[in-house]
Amino acid sequence: MYFVRRFRALKWERCLLDQRDSYNRSWNPDVASAWQLVRFNRIWQAVCQDIPYYRRLRCENHLPLEFSDWKEFRERVPVLERRTVKEQVHALIGRASSIRSWKSTGGSTAEPIRIPIGRLEVSTAAEDLWFARAWYGVGPSDKLFLIWGHSHLLGKGWRGWLKGVKRRWVDALLGYYRYSAYDLSEDALDRAAEALLKFQPAYVVGYSVALDRFVCVNSGKRTLFHELGLKAAIATGESFPRSDSAERITDILGCPVAMEYGSVETGPIAFQKPNGKYFVFWRHYLVEAQVSQSIPDAYEVLVTSLYPRCMPLIRYKMGDLIMGGSEDDHFRFEFQSVVGRCNDYVILEDGQVVHSEAFTHVIRDFSAISGYQILQRTDGNVFLSYTGARLLTLAELRELKRRLCWINAGLAAVQIERVQSIDPTIAGKTRRIIREDLSENFKRAVLC
């Protein structure tokens, strides 16, 4: 198996030569932006000819075949919404597109969608990830332990069995060990720790919440984890549940923690460097930042792909918020942190929107709460369900209510309950906010 991993490492070493040479060169923002503009104009001319959606968009908005600068691009090209991608997916695919497979978002947002994936998307994502993981000494020949959810392996009958066999065979060749993120109970995570110690990987990759929960359950194995000499723990898929999650994971596992940022629609867009900042893979993506109307000092993310894809994305609204930079800094080559989903919120009776991050700030200091989920029902009532080893005391409940009311008086009526577990999505992630379809009164309030 080692020889397979070594051959794979040599192959990627050759592929990454141009990547490293380009990214490691001394680029100033103006020169890099000019390079991106040339790249985008080339892509734009191609998609206007081949993609029905963009061909129609150019005609309806009288857009040029070549943009003179990014200011013109920003002012004239409309934002591509997630709902548009969902409803017009086939109009966003070119006639000559070579689709390798289709991927579905796992339901961590209210609008799951299916995205076509081609070979170039797969190889581009791998190039960017291996380039970034090298900052932590991680290479393609290293053994990997994954805490992951795999909806594509949940098929029934002989096809499901065959997929499982194929996946295990390929993993064995690559040096991967996958442990399911669907079950985050203490018993399951204790077994995961035993599997990790026996497998002796070089690094760990997992959903952020799963990694946080893993180290909480297995804090007593800290010495054994340190003896492994792990190179890194890479978190992905969602934000950490607590402000000190990364520090806790570093302390228990004895290795640095890095966050990978991206989505099913885009693939990896940025990666956290050892200095804590997120490096944008700007050769393949233009990251545009718009001032958020709901969270101070935060910016909504718009992404434009700069290489040929089955489904080109131009000014695609990710639904995420990032921190770092200034209002004048419209395009980003790096940013400070990812706040979370900007469409992750509850809507109060008077039409006010409360972002999920507000709940995080309220709840994170309660040690008795290990996980939570907010449910807003069709009648507008809001429920806070939490998991933990014990019930909150009356004093803690009063303090929790006080903090909720401090955010917004409309949260005084939130009903709080302890549950045994919070069901993950089919992708193994934890949805922070669930909103059932709201009444027409609430919808009108939001629109106003």
Side-chain angles (χ1 to χ4, degrees):
M1 303 303 181
Y2 170 77
F3 293 106
V4 174
R5 302 202 309 272
R6 186 60 189 155
F7 175 79
R8 182 165 172 255
L10 291 173
K11 184 194 82 169
W12 280 113
E13 186 67 29
R14 290 193 295 271
C15 293
L16 290 172
L17 288 176
D18 177 62
Q19 186 95 317
R20 289 174 180 153
D21 178 63
S22 185
Y23 277 138
N24 292 336
R25 202 182 310 161
S26 296
W27 294 83
N28 66 58
D30 291 337
V31 174
S33 288
W35 183 92
Q36 287 181 309
L37 183 62
V38 172
R39 184 98 166 192
F40 171 74
N41 277 328
R42 192 180 307 149
I43 294 293
W44 174 247
Q45 291 172 21
V47 300
C48 285
Q49 292 177 359
D50 190 47
I51 309 292
Y53 175 85
Y54 291 113
R55 190 162 58 242
R56 185 175 65 248
L57 183 74
R58 177 174 175 261
C59 291
E60 291 176 351
N61 292 273
H62 306 289
L63 300 175
L65 261 180
E66 183 173 306
F67 290 90
S68 59
D69 54 37
W70 286 122
K71 183 175 183 293
E72 180 185 24
F73 165 82
R74 191 172 63 249
E75 292 176 349
R76 298 188 62 182
V77 179
V79 171
L80 177 62
E81 300 283 351
R82 183 184 180 90
R83 182 173 294 277
T84 302
V85 172
K86 180 180 180 180
E87 295 174 350
Q88 301 189 46
V89 58
H90 293 290
L92 283 157
I93 303 172
R95 294 185 299 273
S97 293
S98 178
I99 298 174
R100 176 183 176 182
S101 61
W102 288 78
K103 285 189 177 182
S104 298
T105 58
S108 56
T109 68
E111 299 178 344
I113 54 179
R114 295 181 74 239
I115 301 294
I117 303 296
R119 290 189 178 277
L120 188 57
E121 284 98 315
V122 175
S123 61
T124 298
E127 287 177 9
D128 285 334
L129 287 179
W130 289 126
F131 167 75
R133 288 175 180 179
W135 299 331
Y136 298 88
V138 172
S141 64
D142 286 326
K143 292 171 65 177
L144 165 64
F145 188 89
L146 283 150
I147 304 178
W148 209 251
H150 297 284
S151 58
H152 62 285
L153 298 183
L154 298 180
K156 297 180 180 179
W158 67 269
R159 285 189 176 87
W161 174 83
L162 186 61
K163 282 184 179 180
V165 171
K166 181 181 178 182
R167 184 70 269 170
R168 287 190 291 272
W169 182 74
V170 172
D171 282 351
L173 289 176
L174 296 178
Y176 292 175
Y177 188 108
R178 296 175 190 259
Y179 199 91
S180 175
Y182 292 124
D183 185 359
L184 296 181
S185 66
E186 290 191 11
D187 288 343
L189 290 176
D190 183 64
R191 292 193 298 272
E194 294 301 326
L196 186 150
L197 291 168
K198 183 178 179 180
F199 186 64
Q200 296 188 325
Y203 68 114
V204 177
V205 173
Y207 292 133
S208 306
V209 171
L211 283 175
D212 179 81
R213 175 87 173 137
F214 176 82
V215 299
C216 287
V217 170
N218 294 291
S219 59
K221 299 181 178 67
R222 179 177 180 274
T223 300
L224 295 175
F225 290 145
H226 279 235
E227 290 174 355
L228 290 175
L230 293 169
K231 295 180 179 180
I234 299 171
T236 186
E238 53 201 332
S239 301
F240 279 125
R242 299 174 183 272
S243 59
D244 64 343
S245 291
E247 290 81 358
R248 184 191 295 122
I249 294 170
T250 293
D251 177 60
I252 301 301
L253 295 184
C255 63
V257 174
M259 183 78 77
E260 173 192 316
Y261 174 63
S263 70
V264 170
E265 304 95 297
T266 63
I269 295 171
F271 204 95
Q272 194 172 22
K273 299 186 75 172
N275 65 8
K277 292 184 178 181
Y278 285 76
F279 175 89
V280 174
F281 299 125
W282 54 265
R283 295 183 73 208
H284 298 131
Y285 287 102
L286 174 78
V287 171
E288 194 178 343
Q290 289 189 336
V291 176
S292 168
Q293 301 302 311
S294 57
I295 304 294
D297 303 321
Y299 301 84
E300 295 188 17
V301 180
L302 304 179
V303 171
T304 297
S305 51
L306 299 177
Y307 71 99
R309 290 170 46 99
C310 290
M311 179 184 286
L313 298 173
I314 298 176
R315 302 203 80 202
Y316 175 64
K317 191 173 184 178
M318 290 283 290
D320 290 335
L321 295 176
I322 60 174
M323 304 286 284
S326 66
E327 274 192 51
D328 297 328
D329 189 14
H330 295 293
F331 301 104
R332 299 293 163 81
F333 297 97
E334 66 176 27
F335 53 88
Q336 192 65 43
S337 63
V338 181
V339 177
R341 308 292 297 186
C342 59
N343 59 356
D344 204 4
Y345 53 78
V346 297
I347 305 168
L348 302 180
E349 191 170 6
D350 61 359
Q352 294 190 60
V353 173
V354 179
H355 192 272
S356 63
E357 197 64 11
F359 290 98
T360 301
H361 291 165
V362 166
I363 294 168
R364 64 187 179 188
D365 293 327
F366 290 85
S367 59
I369 298 178
S370 58
Y372 78 91
Q373 190 170 73
I374 308 296
L375 169 64
Q376 183 167 35
R377 296 197 184 279
T378 53
D379 57 7
N381 288 328
V382 180
F383 295 77
L384 193 165
S385 299
Y386 71 91
T387 58
R390 61 173 177 81
L391 286 167
L392 293 174
T393 65
L394 289 176
E396 287 172 328
L397 282 171
R398 284 195 294 268
E399 175 61 13
L400 180 54
K401 284 273 191 178
R402 186 191 69 79
R403 293 189 180 197
L404 288 170
C405 290
W406 182 79
I407 293 173
N408 192 298
L411 294 175
V414 170
Q415 301 180 52
I416 303 171
E417 59 181 1
R418 178 172 171 255
V419 296
Q420 289 296 317
S421 62
I422 295 174
D423 293 335
T425 68
I426 195 169
K429 302 178 185 179
T430 302
R431 289 180 64 181
R432 197 170 295 175
I433 305 287
I434 295 179
R435 290 194 317 278
E436 297 178 352
D437 288 337
L438 299 181
S439 68
E440 289 303 317
N441 288 338
F442 283 127
K443 291 178 181 177
R444 281 195 293 270
V446 175
L447 290 173
C448 292

